Amino acid sequence: MRSLGVIGTLALDLLREARARKWVWALALAVTAALLTVAFALRLDVVDGALAASRFFGDSIGRGVYQPVEVFLRPLFEASAYVVFYGGMIFGIIACADFAPSLLAPGRIEHLLSLPLRRTELLAGTYLGVLLLVSFGALYGSVGLTLILGVKAGVWGLHLILASLLAILAFAAVYALMLASAVFVRSAALSAGAGFLLFVLGIIATYRADIARLFEAGLSRQLFTWLTAPLPRIAGLANLAGAIAAEGPVEQGTLLRLGLGALVFAAAGFALAAWRFGGKDY
């Protein structure tokens, strides 16, 4: 219980540090501006629970036929889920790359280690704080869109919010590697590079079976298969998020497999960071 309290306190300290940075407010303003633009630009003509015609940014997106509102808006919910997933992850990699290097900065790390804190608690507090920060951004965007579409079209549901949870899960795996790279080499640029590299490799890993066929049978194909096996399936999670938002079919087995894979990768990345951090002299 004491460790959980310490980790929670450290995570809140990181959030306070983030609040003092201007880019956090820039993010909030950018997301708010996007939500307001959608709110004022989206014109939905709802007739007895169906859409006769719709306009978005001044262009007609209807086909002149009556459609159930829920059916008509599914592509919009799906597209919104992809924007929250990929947009949130790219911004998170860029914006959170320097938190761990800042923790390890000369002077600050010596001061923190002089306090009655375990090293794993310091690392876990930083990791949790970053995840909370990214979660707030993802949930703010998805809840805002849900409210706008609910008010505009009378379609209320939690699908878009549930879809954003997969974006947070995927980022947890990515940031675990960023944290580990920062512990090995205190560099924000390297941390961001590791995040983007895993982001791209995670997309490739999703389609590894198809890509493997491009290799000649033998060592090269087997090596590609082995190297991509442990990577989190970033695009797979994004596709599931889109399907959940659009109320499409979602295989529970696939959801469980990809979700557990991301969690295991995140745990392995954090364990690597904790092992290196625990044995390093400052």
Side-chain angles (χ1 to χ4, degrees), residues 60-85:
S60 174
I61 56 175
R63 298 179 179 176
V65 296
Y66 286 90
Q67 298 183 62
V69 179
E70 294 81 4
V71 175
F72 183 85
L73 290 180
R74 282 176 184 173
L76 184 57
F77 276 110
E78 185 177 11
S80 300
Y82 278 112
V83 170
V84 171
F85 190 99

Side-chain angles (χ1 to χ4, degrees), residues 147-220:
L147 292 175
I148 289 170
L149 293 173
V151 172
K152 286 279 187 177
V155 179
W156 298 95
L158 299 175
H159 298 89
L160 191 55
I161 299 172
L162 293 175
S164 69
L165 298 181
L166 291 182
I168 298 169
L169 176 61
F171 185 78
V174 171
Y175 189 71
L177 183 65
M178 294 172 64
L179 183 65
S181 68
V183 173
F184 276 89
V185 180
R186 190 174 62 84
S187 167
L190 182 63
S191 179
F196 277 117
L197 180 62
L198 182 57
F199 176 66
V200 174
L201 292 177
I203 295 174
I204 293 174
T206 302
Y207 305 104
R208 58 194 287 269
D210 296 326
I211 297 175
R213 297 192 188 97
L214 302 177
F215 291 84
E216 291 187 4
L219 180 61
S220 59

Side-chain angles (χ1 to χ4, degrees), residues 3-273:
S3 291
L4 291 177
V6 171
I7 292 170
T9 301
L10 292 169
L12 292 177
D13 285 341
L14 185 140
L15 293 179
R16 281 192 283 270
E17 181 180 339
R19 188 179 60 181
R21 301 186 181 190
K22 293 181 180 178
W23 58 259
V24 173
W25 296 107
L27 168 64
L29 289 174
V31 175
T32 302
L35 292 175
L36 289 175
T37 301
V38 172
F40 288 110
L42 190 64
R43 294 174 55 190
L44 301 174
D45 301 324
V46 183
V47 181
D48 294 332
L51 287 169
S54 299
R55 299 179 71 82
F56 189 63
F57 290 116
D59 296 325
S60 174
I61 56 175
R63 298 179 179 176
V65 296
Y66 286 90
Q67 298 183 62
V69 179
E70 294 81 4
V71 175
F72 183 85
L73 290 180
R74 282 176 184 173
L76 184 57
F77 276 110
E78 185 177 11
S80 300
Y82 278 112
V83 170
V84 171
F85 190 99
Y86 285 116
M89 182 162 294
I90 291 172
F91 182 85
I93 291 172
I94 296 173
C96 300
D98 69 334
F99 278 117
S102 296
L103 169 76
L104 302 170
R108 182 178 183 181
I109 185 62
E110 287 84 355
H111 168 69
L112 290 172
L113 291 178
S114 68
L115 301 174
L117 303 172
R118 297 188 181 95
R119 294 194 177 197
T120 52
E121 293 171 345
L122 283 174
L123 213 56
T126 302
Y127 184 68
L128 179 62
V130 168
L131 292 188
L132 287 175
L133 182 63
V134 172
S135 299
F136 288 153
L139 291 175
Y140 179 52
S142 59
V143 170
L145 282 171
T146 298
L147 292 175
I148 289 170
L149 293 173
V151 172
K152 286 279 187 177
V155 179
W156 298 95
L158 299 175
H159 298 89
L160 191 55
I161 299 172
L162 293 175
S164 69
L165 298 181
L166 291 182
I168 298 169
L169 176 61
F171 185 78
V174 171
Y175 189 71
L177 183 65
M178 294 172 64
L179 183 65
S181 68
V183 173
F184 276 89
V185 180
R186 190 174 62 84
S187 167
L190 182 63
S191 179
F196 277 117
L197 180 62
L198 182 57
F199 176 66
V200 174
L201 292 177
I203 295 174
I204 293 174
T206 302
Y207 305 104
R208 58 194 287 269
D210 296 326
I211 297 175
R213 297 192 188 97
L214 302 177
F215 291 84
E216 291 187 4
L219 180 61
S220 59
R221 179 186 295 181
Q222 196 62 47
L223 188 61
F224 172 79
T225 304
W226 286 340
L227 291 176
T228 54
L231 299 176
R233 308 300 194 259
I234 300 296
L237 289 169
N239 294 336
L240 285 174
I244 291 173
E247 300 184 53
V250 176
E251 294 183 7
Q252 293 186 359
T254 302
L255 178 62
L256 184 62
R257 179 171 55 83
L258 297 189
L260 283 177
L263 283 176
V264 169
F265 189 92
F270 183 82
L272 177 64

